[in-house]
Amino acid sequence: MSDPSDRLPPLNALRAFEAAARRLSFTQAAEELNVTPGAISQQIRQLEDFAGTPLFKRTGRSVLLTDAAQASLPLVREAFERISEAGRIMQAPARKGRVMVSCAPSFAAKWLAPRLEKFNQTNEGVEAWISADMSLTDFNTADADLAIRYGRGNYEGLKSEKLLDETVLPVCSPRMIEGPDAIRKPEDLKNHTLLHDESSENDPSCPDWASWLRAHGVSGVDGSRGPRFNQGILVIESAAAGRGVALAKQAIAANDIAAGRLVAPFANGSIPIDFGYWLVWPKGRHLTPDVRAFIKWIKDEAASSEIVGV
């Protein structure tokens, strides 16, 4: 006979516990799992009965973890990650021929999507799908093989490999370097609208217009004026339409510069920044041959990409 102490805890209750412990909220856990808060409470009580000890301290509308919960939570998370990975391995034959990549919309539209035809041509029978989302990929729930993240490359529980470094530089329509108000030097920016990228990606190393102007010793130009956009692609499109000069990330602007829709008016205008683009996937994940082929291809593409000024 099996030892009663070795019996497994209820799986649904563990899922409720993991979500509630991660969010420190029964209500948010219920929203995530698409159940009622009452159902979460019932599952937690069931797990506490199994454990023989409280797992949460109720303090008004919020909850705190007990010592037992804090000690067990990392193991529960690891267990769900392993179960999820087991499911992916079981589904591998059905997923053959497909690679799902998650990344931010601007990077997807301006860097990745225009290059995918090359991947399709050199990897017959394999399709690369893009999932464009501003939020970070949760590999426990998302149907993604890997993601491209913008940051410093340190992500808990994830393996990361550098894809691209990043720089920031002014870009504008080719029309703006011609005519009576042509942009020849940074001081000429006083005659033009400045476009600002205020996307939600938090990058403390990325200069804004005010700091770019200071770094280049430019006076007489108000770096705070001009419209603001919450996605890099909107800044690029406004600049290409001739509505002003954008301070843009080079990876997002590179294709439009190569196509002649944008120009970089200052030869020494770029500034390197700490953040870059990283390929990430869960540690211990089994990478299929199709995913490995995509990783090799995209790293080769990144290595061959350049920005060319005027």
Side-chain angles (χ1 to χ4, degrees):
M1 295 179 64
S2 63
D3 186 343
S5 64
D6 290 337
R7 63 190 177 92
L8 293 174
L11 185 59
N12 287 338
L14 278 178
R15 175 59 82 186
F17 163 72
E18 191 279 332
R22 174 164 36 86
R23 294 177 173 272
L24 292 178
S25 168
F26 286 11
T27 300
Q28 292 182 22
E31 292 174 354
E32 177 180 322
L33 300 179
N34 197 28
V35 298
T36 65
I40 295 293
S41 296
Q42 183 177 358
Q43 295 282 5
I44 297 301
R45 283 195 299 270
Q46 183 181 2
L47 193 60
E48 289 176 332
D49 289 342
F50 170 89
T53 185
L55 298 175
F56 291 92
K57 301 173 184 176
R58 279 77 168 177
T59 58
R61 293 185 177 180
S62 62
V63 294
L64 299 175
L65 301 182
T66 64
D67 290 344
Q70 289 179 342
S72 60
L73 179 59
L75 297 176
V76 172
R77 285 178 173 168
E78 181 181 355
F80 276 116
E81 289 171 0
R82 288 180 177 273
I83 292 172
S84 176
E85 184 60 19
R88 290 183 60 83
I89 293 174
M90 292 176 187
Q91 295 172 340
R95 294 174 64 89
K96 183 174 176 58
R98 190 193 81 182
V99 178
M100 177 68 80
V101 185
S102 173
C103 59
S106 293
F107 188 85
K110 288 298 184 180
W111 195 93
L112 182 55
R115 291 171 163 81
L116 280 186
E117 184 60 28
K118 295 181 184 178
F119 176 77
N120 295 333
Q121 290 173 352
T122 56
N123 294 270
E124 186 176 354
V126 183
E127 292 183 348
W129 296 5
I130 299 176
S131 175
D133 197 335
M134 291 300 294
S135 61
L136 294 181
T137 303
D138 181 353
F139 284 99
N140 289 323
T141 57
D143 183 24
D145 294 295
L146 67 158
I148 300 171
R149 286 190 180 176
Y150 178 66
R152 290 195 173 97
N154 299 317
Y155 305 108
E156 184 179 357
L158 301 180
K159 179 176 175 57
S160 59
E161 293 187 6
K162 188 67 166 290
L163 180 64
L164 280 170
D165 289 316
E166 186 58 288
T167 59
V168 173
L169 74 168
V171 295
C172 62
S173 165
R175 300 192 301 272
M176 300 183 74
I177 61 173
E178 303 172 350
D181 288 328
I183 300 174
R184 305 293 186 192
K185 56 188 183 299
E187 286 76 13
D188 295 333
L189 292 172
K190 66 178 181 293
N191 300 318
H192 299 276
T193 300
L194 302 182
L195 307 175
H196 301 259
D197 182 355
E198 294 196 348
S199 53
S200 59
E201 296 169 316
N202 184 22
D203 180 0
S205 71
C206 187
D208 56 15
W209 267 116
S211 57
W212 186 93
L213 292 166
R214 285 196 302 270
H216 288 78
V218 181
S219 60
V221 179
D222 181 2
S224 65
R225 62 185 171 82
R228 284 155 170 75
F229 302 86
N230 67 351
Q231 288 193 29
I233 190 172
L234 300 178
V235 182
I236 294 299
E237 290 304 312
S238 292
R243 297 191 178 98
V245 186
L247 193 58
K249 297 181 179 69
Q250 70 91 6
I252 308 301
N255 273 2
D256 288 298
I257 291 176
R261 296 183 72 227
L262 291 173
V263 293
F266 312 122
N268 63 343
S270 63
I271 296 179
I273 55 181
D274 295 341
F275 277 27
Y277 299 92
W278 297 79
L279 289 169
V280 301
W281 61 89
K283 291 180 179 178
R285 167 162 289 186
H286 170 72
L287 298 181
T288 67
D290 293 339
V291 174
R292 292 185 183 278
F294 181 85
I295 291 174
K296 181 183 184 305
W297 169 80
I298 197 172
K299 290 172 73 173
D300 289 343
E301 277 295 307
S304 64
S305 63
E306 294 181 352
I307 193 77
V308 181
V310 176

